[in-house]
Amino acid sequence: MVKELFSSLGVDCNILELDQVDDGASVQEVLSEITNQRTVPNIFVNKVHVGGCDRTFQAHQSGLLQKLLQEDPAYDYDLIVIGGGSGGLSCAQEAAALGRRVMVLDLVVPSPQGTSWGLGGTCVNVGCIPKQLMHQAALLGQALTDSRRFGWECAQQVKHNWETMTEAIQKHVGSLNWSYRRALREKAVAYVNSYGEFVEHHKIKATDGKGQETYYTAAKFVIATGERPRYLGIQGDKEYCITSDDLFSLPYCPGATLVVGASSVALECAGFLAGLGLEVTVMVRSQLLRGFDQEMAEKVASSMQQIGVRFLRKFVPVEVQQLERGSPGKLKVVAKSTEGTEMIEGLYNTVLLAIGRDSCTKKIGLEKIGVKVNEKTGKIPVNDVEQSSVPYVYAVGDVVEGKPELTPVAVQAGRLLARRLFGGRLEKCDYINAPTVVFTPLEYGCCGYAEEKAVEVYRKENLEVYHTLFWPLEWTVACRDSNTCYAKIICSKFDNDRVIGFHVLGPKAGEITQGFAAAMKCGLTKQLLDDTIGIHPTCAQVFTTLEITKSSGLDIMQKGC
Ligand code: FAD
Ligand code: NA7
């Protein structure tokens, strides 16, 4: 049918009949690697993989095939990347390094509170980087308290200055924006500070901040537009509440803060605000840290309660009223129970919404070129080579359906995609076992399965869970609680006790988890952990001496001061 179609279009095609050539089987293997398709026919047009018979006919119907068949498409660029964040920049830079003509479009639509920022996307401007620096500011406060036990004599009255911190952090963020722009220039990537929107196949409209429109074409496109914070859709939310997009450059100290939501973003922000000495309440709709190990999530919450964070469980806000203007002002929040009719009210200086993020896939013209989007989540489904339903359009980062929303994941996916598209490489992004850390004042690091998920997949009787509470050495003299930090591994009994879940709640959990994640990629087993010599005295060494199984029910309490 495809041969007939091409013949009817007058197209001369190069046909390789796999069953009639000696190396047909190897060609099929490679095709399967490159395209994720073993079946034939497997159609390429001008180096773009179209797919099998159905997809070729669909492309014909939509007009895409005719576009692809144009002998010399004379596109402006080999690749246009929409979105200059973690995924987009890594992809663009790699493609340019491979000698391609590349353009990046990046424009930040200001938040409802009017906050905007420079090049680099979420991570650099309103995510990982400023968050981590504020986390560090909070940890320094804790260190100051601890230091007295270690003999430092400083005035009892210690104050934190929000403005000084924010100014210093924003200065660093500004320097990162600048270095990204310089890197693009050095690699000859065309950077356009405009909003990109598909208008037809292979063509986008770029609209700059002043409304000036320019059109560009490219052979291939990568969508890396990320996500933006969601709002509640209740009275007063967009007028009076802020989100993480606003918090890191807030020009005044937020004061008593209500954080709505219980994801990592919510708990991390609540954690550092409390660590800076502010009164913090977290309003939780259902559970903490959905998707994470729930035993660990509860332990994270207990560690936060120990530093004064208040949790309001099973409530959702229904209205936010402004009682007083100011920096900060005073807000009244009315909330209702998710379990009954109870209503509560609370007064706060700031309300921070951290109730999830919406993918930026709605207003970029995807429907005009037929890129499929999951209507419910707004995410773009892709195959294992990050190709969308339209063959020349790819997606990386937070917009992709079903993948971890993390900077290193977006960076890796973007870089490998460019190498496959333009460098003749085949490596695909391995999304399995991406380690992650919740940077609450006491950090929680994990890699692999949550315990409940492991039970669902492997069944309880096929698992052995080893765990212990531990007391970091630096906490002993400081007289901090001896039974807060916790280590747990989940092993698959019938796979040589392979470690399929790694969890740690303790200081520097991020640094600890990274190394164990590499070991898990290499097939870490309980025996290998036992054979590993620990580094003394560290927290990480606890994983080399785990003896108590959860099923034994033995006491794991540590002796305190
Ligand atoms: P982004 O980095 O969001 O970049 C998308 C870019 O595209 C943005 O600049 C956007 O303005 C632009 N854009 C959107 N639409 C268009 C358009 N039509 N035209 C032009 N430009 C457009 N991850 C970690 O790994 N570790 C952490 O500690 C961590 N902490 C986080 C803390 C917070 C508060 C948040 C919100 C996120 C955090 N993340 C963390 C997640 C991480 O920031 C994201 O996973 C990562 O930034 C995703 O990269 P991306 O390339 O998909 O999108
Ligand atoms: P998530 O992980 O989608 O979490 C959203 C959180 O907000 C979750 O706790 C939700 O509770 C809660 N939520 C959602 N809607 C509401 C309403 N209407 N009212 C109250 N609470 C609500 O989003 P994040 O953006 O924070 O994190 C995503 C990634 O960004 C993360 O992986 C980081 O790497 C960065 P629920 O459990 O659904 O009841």
Side-chain angles (χ1 to χ4, degrees), residues 175-441:
S175 76
L176 292 176
N177 296 147
W178 174 245
S179 66
Y180 278 119
R181 289 186 77 141
R182 200 180 50 209
L184 290 184
R185 211 172 36 237
E186 281 170 5
K187 293 211 166 90
V189 174
Y191 162 58
V192 175
N193 185 205
S194 293
Y195 188 86
E197 183 185 345
F198 286 97
V199 284
E200 57 181 82
H201 277 300
H202 290 279
K203 189 170 187 181
I204 57 161
K205 177 171 79 180
T207 310
D208 72 13
K210 294 186 187 123
Q212 182 82 34
E213 295 174 0
T214 316
Y215 293 83
Y216 301 100
T217 59
K220 295 186 171 74
F221 286 82
V222 170
I223 303 167
T225 46
E227 299 181 317
R228 294 297 291 272
R230 190 173 300 150
Y231 280 79
L232 284 163
I234 61 170
Q235 205 180 332
D237 70 343
K238 283 204 171 147
E239 293 94 316
Y240 309 126
C241 300
I242 62 167
T243 68
S244 55
D245 277 0
D246 310 297
L247 180 66
F248 303 112
S249 56
L250 201 66
Y252 54 84
C253 178
T257 302
L258 172 70
V259 178
V260 184
S263 64
S264 56
V265 172
L267 298 192
E268 289 175 341
C269 294
F272 70 67
L273 291 175
L276 296 176
L278 305 184
E279 207 178 283
V280 178
T281 306
V282 179
M283 191 175 284
V284 183
R285 177 170 71 174
S286 59
Q287 57 177 197
L288 299 159
L289 295 177
R290 180 181 293 284
F292 286 87
D293 186 292
Q294 285 302 294
E295 180 189 28
M296 299 304 295
E298 287 301 329
K299 286 185 186 295
V300 169
S302 308
S303 73
M304 291 175 73
Q305 275 165 332
Q306 282 176 21
I307 61 159
V309 176
R310 191 165 73 107
F311 284 88
L312 275 175
R313 303 256 189 150
K314 307 272 166 81
F315 275 95
V316 286
V318 288
E319 191 184 346
V320 181
Q321 293 170 18
Q322 187 179 56
L323 301 184
E324 279 171 29
R325 284 165 167 275
S327 306
K330 197 182 270 180
L331 302 170
K332 182 165 103 174
V333 177
V334 183
K336 78 168 190 323
S337 162
T338 58
E339 296 182 317
T341 52
E342 191 187 351
M343 304 287 283
I344 53 169
E345 287 181 4
L347 298 183
Y348 307 94
N349 298 116
T350 298
V351 177
L352 174 75
L353 301 181
I355 57 159
R357 298 167 58 76
D358 290 326
S359 298
C360 301
T361 52
K362 291 243 156 60
K363 296 178 188 147
I364 56 173
L366 295 181
E367 68 292 347
K368 295 204 181 91
I369 56 163
V371 173
K372 283 206 184 93
V373 174
N374 180 327
E375 286 303 320
K376 224 170 134 202
T377 60
K379 299 260 186 183
I380 302 175
V382 296
N383 60 18
D384 67 350
V385 286
E386 281 90 22
Q387 190 178 36
S388 76
S389 57
V390 172
Y392 68 88
V393 179
Y394 299 79
V396 294
D398 286 0
V399 289
V400 174
E401 184 169 69
K403 303 288 190 270
E405 293 174 10
L406 295 166
T407 283
V409 171
V411 170
Q412 177 88 327
R415 187 181 299 136
L416 294 180
L417 173 60
R419 286 182 192 164
R420 287 194 309 272
L421 291 179
F422 305 116
R425 300 278 290 268
L426 297 175
E427 293 94 334
K428 296 169 190 169
C429 183
D430 179 3
Y431 292 96
I432 310 290
N433 279 356
T436 188
V437 170
V438 181
F439 289 100
T440 34

Side-chain angles (χ1 to χ4, degrees), residues 101-116:
R101 298 166 305 151
V102 184
M103 168 179 273
V104 170
L105 291 167
D106 186 71
L107 186 100
V108 178
V109 177
S111 76
Q113 295 294 335
T115 314
S116 190

Side-chain angles (χ1 to χ4, degrees), residues 136-150 152 154 478 480:
Q136 171 63 9
L139 291 183
L140 288 172
Q142 178 67 55
L144 265 172
T145 310
D146 288 354
S147 72
R148 297 194 181 102
R149 296 259 183 195
F150 285 91
W152 289 100
C154 40
R480 290 173 67 183

Side-chain angles (χ1 to χ4, degrees), residues 85-99:
S86 309
L89 289 179
S90 78
C91 185
Q93 292 184 18
E94 193 68 18
L98 290 164

